[in-house]
Amino acid sequence: MGPAHHTRDTRRTNTHGGPSMIISAGSSRTTTTSGLGYRPYLVPRMWSWKDTERNTTPGIGLFRGQELKAHLTPDEARALADKLHDMADNLQDTIEQEN
C-alpha cells in the first residue's frame, strides 16, 4: 500500500467571491513586537481525504500555503469552531478587564 493522500473536493464554492477565509489574521507583512516575524496562519478549504485503501472522507482541510496541515470531518470542524469561539470570548473578556 502506498502512503495516504488527499484530493481537492471539486464541489468547493466560495460564496463571497474572494479568497478563502483565513483562520488567523494571516501572515502579516509587519514584524511582531517579539521580533519573531510573520504570524502563522491556516486557510480552510473543502477537501476530501483518501486513505491508503482509497476510502474517501469528505471534510475541511487546513492549509498553510499549499501544504495540508490538518483534515477535519464536519463534526470535528464544528467542535473546533465552538472551542475557538469560546476561547476568543474568554480572551476578549480578559483584554477588556485589563484595560
Side-chain angles (χ1 to χ4, degrees), residues 14 17 19 21 33 47 51 54 60 65 67 70 74 76 88 94:
N14 186 335
M21 179 184 81
T33 55
W47 199 264
D51 65 17
R54 309 286 294 163
I60 298 167
E67 188 176 350
E76 292 168 335
T94 301

Side-chain angles (χ1 to χ4, degrees), residues 14-78:
N14 186 335
T15 58
H16 302 292
S20 298
M21 179 184 81
I22 296 175
I23 289 180
S24 78
S27 60
S28 166
R29 297 274 178 204
T30 61
T31 303
T32 62
T33 55
S34 64
L36 297 176
Y38 297 108
R39 290 179 28 213
Y41 65 95
L42 295 174
V43 178
R45 299 181 197 151
M46 301 295 269
W47 199 264
S48 291
W49 178 264
K50 288 188 180 178
D51 65 17
T52 56
E53 296 174 358
R54 309 286 294 163
N55 298 313
T56 301
T57 304
I60 298 167
L62 300 177
F63 290 81
R64 175 129 194 241
Q66 296 299 314
E67 188 176 350
L68 179 67
K69 294 296 187 177
H71 181 267
L72 304 170
T73 64
D75 288 341
E76 292 168 335
R78 285 186 196 96

Side-chain angles (χ1 to χ4, degrees), residues 10 32 56 74 83 90 98:
T10 57
T32 62
T56 301
K83 186 172 185 173
N90 291 336
E98 290 175 354

